[in-house]
Amino acid sequence: MLKKLCLVTLLAAAGLANAADITVSAAASLTNAFRELSQAYEAANPGDKVLLNFAASDALVQQISKGAPVDVFASADQEAMDKAEGMKLLAAGTRHNFVSNSVVLITPSTSTLALKTLGDLRGADVKRITTGNPASVPIGRYTKQALEKAGVWSNVETKFIFGTSVRQSLDYVARGEVDAGFVYATDVGAQKDKVKAQFTVPTETPVTYPISALSGAANAKGARQFVDFTLSSTGQAILAKYGFGRP
């Protein structure tokens, strides 16, 4: 239902969009950073307007493949972007890695748990854990891979409550509905008064974010300009402000 509502909203927005509008679909973890980035882009390009749509990366690929009017796609992992490329949705030569991130284990700020290793999640005092659904959300894929490599996944799989995006999992932890959760390091800042990071989780696959203009972009010129802006020194400075690293 959520995917259908997002698609309907995007299609409706297309009818109101102007020629200079740039529609950007971006991973949920980019929400705060891309809001400021878009404002900076608009200031540097008078007359242009950036329309933002945030969700889990795989959900965004599905929206785009079903005809959602999108000019730029920014994903939280390579797998989702690979899916888009396999569907021939990307404009040739415009795919770039633009930031990096890391995965952290967090707990509610009021929690007394002291978790130092992934193996600690086996403990009886850890009853509920959250991350994104590994089948459709990048943070879930990173989490599952890390737990499998540590030999812990089979022991804790039944404790998981999966979110539809990393920000939903972040909210679960912030509200104290779970004992621990896996999010990106950059997400902690969005709820810094309600969650605390326990430790950084080693990931077998580097957490790099790709961005690309889309082959079906209504505003192809604007799409390429927005991608270039994210790679510029100005764009990178804004992203660094929100905790993102160089790709």
Side-chain angles (χ1 to χ4, degrees):
M1 180 62 72
L2 178 61
K3 293 179 183 179
K4 289 183 179 179
L5 286 174
C6 289
L7 181 56
V8 169
T9 300
L10 278 170
L11 291 171
L16 302 174
N18 298 313
D21 289 348
I22 305 165
T23 302
V24 179
S25 283
S29 53
L30 291 164
T31 300
N32 303 73
F34 262 36
R35 283 176 178 161
E36 182 171 338
L37 184 77
S38 296
Q39 291 173 354
Y41 176 87
E42 290 172 353
N45 296 274
D48 287 2
K49 183 172 179 57
V50 181
L51 307 176
L52 296 169
N53 174 46
F54 298 105
S57 300
D58 290 45
L60 295 174
V61 174
Q62 288 303 309
Q63 291 172 17
I64 296 165
S65 69
K66 292 177 180 177
V70 179
D71 300 305
V72 176
F73 172 46
S75 169
D77 76 349
Q78 302 298 328
E79 185 171 327
M81 189 64 80
D82 288 345
K83 291 176 184 177
E85 187 162 21
M87 295 177 188
K88 302 188 185 305
L89 299 175
L90 309 186
T94 65
R95 176 175 176 172
H96 301 278
N97 292 336
F98 70 106
V99 287
S100 61
N101 211 335
S102 58
V103 176
V104 296
L105 181 71
I106 63 172
T107 55
S109 59
T110 56
S111 175
T112 58
L113 289 173
L115 304 174
K116 297 182 178 180
T117 69
L118 293 175
D120 292 341
L121 295 174
R122 298 189 185 102
D125 52 350
V126 180
K127 297 177 175 61
R128 294 182 300 275
I129 312 168
T130 187
T131 192
N133 189 332
S136 58
V137 185
I139 188 65
R141 289 195 279 268
Y142 290 124
T143 298
K144 183 178 179 181
Q145 289 170 3
L147 290 171
E148 286 180 333
K149 186 174 182 180
V152 178
W153 176 255
S154 60
N155 302 118
V156 300
E157 182 179 3
T158 58
K159 296 185 179 185
F160 272 96
I161 298 172
F162 293 130
T164 58
S165 73
V166 69
R167 286 304 175 91
Q168 185 175 58
S169 293
L170 178 66
D171 286 342
Y172 287 160
V173 180
R175 293 195 298 261
E177 295 173 3
V178 296
D179 300 303
F182 292 86
V183 299
Y184 298 113
T186 53
D187 292 309
V188 178
Q191 293 276 17
K192 60 184 178 181
D193 296 329
K194 297 181 179 179
V195 305
K196 58 185 176 183
Q198 294 285 336
F199 60 86
T200 299
V201 178
T203 56
E204 190 169 5
T205 302
V207 182
T208 54
Y209 288 46
I211 189 170
S212 181
L214 298 177
S215 58
N219 185 352
K221 179 181 178 182
R224 290 171 182 266
Q225 288 180 173
F226 186 85
V227 171
D228 289 342
F229 189 77
T230 66
L231 299 168
S232 71
S233 58
T234 300
Q236 288 291 303
I238 293 170
L239 291 160
K241 175 181 172 182
Y242 288 88
F244 290 96
R246 291 278 180 175

